[in-house]
Amino acid sequence: MLESSTILLTGGTGSFGSRFVPMTLEKFCPKRIIIYSRDEMKQWDMAQHYTEDKRVSFVIGDIRDKDRLSRVLDGVDFVVHAAATKIVPTAEYNPFECVKTNVDGAMNLIDTCIDRGVKRVVALSTDKASNPINLYGATKLASDKLFIAANQYAGLQKTRFAVVRYGNVMGSRGSVIPFFLRMASSGVLPITDPYMTRFMITLEQGVELVWQAFDDMHGGEIYVKRIPSMNILDIAKVVAPKAQHKIIGVRPGEKIHEQMIGFEDAFATYEYDDYFKILPSIHNWATDEKRIGPGTKVAKDFSYVSNTNPDWMQPDELAEWIDKNRAKLV
């Protein structure tokens, strides 16, 4: 589907973009990938890897700027929406800015994609959007709802929207593994709560889930990857076996365990070999056969939470992954 197409990636200089671009260039050979973001230094750094590849271009812009979006989306076939204010404490202390980016920016993108005739849009979400307790999660839940409803809002236009949701991305900028690696030399690792658990997904798995969404979507679906969980203490012991642990308490807006699917969504959730799909409750789309496909409906009391997840990453698996990716993590 993505072959010979033009793809725009918002927030494209982040961790997701660093893997999406080379993987997509290799697998699909698109005509063009446009990196749209507002940090010129990150764009300049990323552009050094593509000086000989004219398929990759960089555009400075903000999803808060609807006019700029309208210009850059001219001729675009597919959009991956990764731009967001993501750091939980930052969102708690800067709520107006978080809403402007994560909610107002989503509305700008939806409107402009419809106006410009973009074929398909996949928005990246987060486990924090399921039963949110922090502002980041609340704004991403609102964003998810906007992208789902956009399929109705588009009317007779061809643009279709879907969402992918996943948990802690291993090795992503600001995530716990690179942080622990940086702190290891101090001999002390700060632990928020010894019982804390997180879902674990690689950047490569995240990219593949986006590809899957583009290929499978009819509009309004939320795709959730089946991924393992891990306890924060086990992560710390793998990263720095000799380090001591200092319990510092949960940060503002932080959960002990993360949830990707709540039991409230079980009535509209279907399971597949390696992912789940939450279907929209509006317009009877949750019972639409073409959206369900080969899926099996989950139990009515089903939930997908990091501490009750049946799939756990073992310490030796994490250690092997760190050894393979250490150069990218420090």
Side-chain angles (χ1 to χ4, degrees):
M1 174 174 289
L2 301 178
E3 288 89 349
S4 302
S5 65
T6 297
I7 305 165
L8 182 131
L9 176 59
T10 71
T13 56
S15 300
F16 178 85
S18 71
R19 292 306 301 138
F20 177 84
V21 174
M23 288 176 65
T24 303
L25 288 172
E26 181 178 355
K27 184 174 179 65
F28 296 104
C29 194
K31 181 170 63 177
R32 189 181 181 203
I33 296 181
I34 304 168
I35 307 301
Y36 182 79
S37 68
R38 62 186 181 183
D39 191 320
E40 61 180 307
M41 194 65 225
K42 289 179 184 176
Q43 285 202 8
W44 190 87
D45 287 340
M46 188 174 182
Q48 305 315 300
H49 299 284
Y50 300 101
T51 54
E52 303 299 322
D53 197 330
K54 302 306 180 184
R55 296 172 296 173
V56 184
S57 59
F58 295 83
V59 176
I60 294 291
D62 196 321
I63 58 171
R64 299 182 184 189
D65 187 341
K66 196 171 181 180
D67 289 339
R68 183 61 166 160
L69 277 172
S70 181
R71 179 63 60 195
V72 75
L73 282 167
D74 188 22
V76 169
D77 301 302
F78 301 98
V79 170
V80 180
H81 178 47
T85 297
K86 298 182 177 73
I87 300 174
V88 169
T90 300
E92 294 297 297
Y93 289 111
N94 301 273
F96 287 18
E97 297 305 306
C98 182
V99 170
K100 288 176 185 176
T101 297
N102 295 355
V103 180
D104 295 347
M107 290 192 290
N108 286 340
L109 185 63
I110 289 166
D111 268 332
T112 313
C113 285
I114 294 170
D115 291 343
R116 283 300 190 179
V118 172
K119 295 175 183 176
R120 296 189 177 190
V121 180
V122 171
L124 306 191
S125 185
T126 168
D127 47 15
K128 295 170 181 62
S130 180
N131 191 25
I133 66 165
N134 52 59
L135 183 70
Y136 169 53
T139 58
K140 291 303 286 184
L141 174 60
S143 174
D144 291 355
K145 295 291 188 181
L146 289 168
F147 280 105
I148 291 167
N151 293 279
Q152 168 195 289
Y153 184 57
L156 298 177
Q157 303 303 312
K158 64 181 180 180
T159 311
R160 292 295 173 260
F161 302 84
V163 175
V164 299
R165 179 184 291 172
Y166 45 74
N168 176 63
V169 179
M170 298 163 59
S172 63
R173 187 178 299 145
S175 63
V176 68
I177 295 173
F179 175 70
F180 279 170
L181 284 169
R182 290 193 299 271
M183 295 293 295
S185 60
S186 71
V188 179
L189 297 185
I191 304 294
T192 51
D193 188 288
Y195 297 102
M196 181 173 285
T197 59
R198 288 293 181 265
F199 288 106
M200 308 288 281
I201 187 172
T202 66
L203 282 168
E204 290 77 11
Q205 289 174 313
V207 171
E208 289 166 356
L209 185 61
V210 169
W211 292 346
Q212 187 172 26
F214 274 128
D215 185 59
D216 179 79
M217 63 184 280
H218 292 275
E221 304 90 343
I222 298 177
Y223 294 85
V224 179
K225 181 77 173 175
R226 288 180 183 267
I227 50 177
S229 297
M230 202 163 187
N231 174 269
I232 192 70
L233 280 180
D234 289 337
I235 297 173
K237 290 173 184 177
V238 170
V239 173
K242 297 181 180 180
Q244 296 180 344
H245 303 149
K246 180 182 179 181
I247 308 301
I248 61 173
V250 178
R251 299 178 300 172
E254 193 171 34
K255 287 183 179 182
I256 303 298
H257 308 295
E258 292 289 8
Q259 174 179 291
M260 289 221 267
I261 305 172
F263 70 88
E264 301 90 349
D265 284 321
F267 79 97
T269 299
Y270 293 81
E271 59 182 326
Y272 306 80
D273 288 342
D274 59 352
Y275 67 98
F276 300 97
K277 193 191 300 185
I278 307 172
L279 298 184
S281 57
I282 58 175
H283 298 298
N284 297 317
W285 288 346
T287 57
D288 179 21
E289 291 298 331
K290 68 178 183 293
R291 286 180 169 85
I292 296 170
T296 302
K297 198 168 187 178
V298 301
K300 63 180 180 180
D301 60 346
F302 173 84
S303 63
Y304 194 37
V305 187
S306 58
N307 66 318
T308 58
N309 184 9
D311 185 14
W312 288 80
M313 178 173 283
Q314 299 304 309
D316 59 335
E317 293 178 275
L318 178 62
E320 182 180 357
W321 182 88
I322 290 174
D323 286 343
K324 289 181 178 178
N325 294 275
R326 190 174 296 274
K328 304 174 187 177
L329 298 173
V330 294

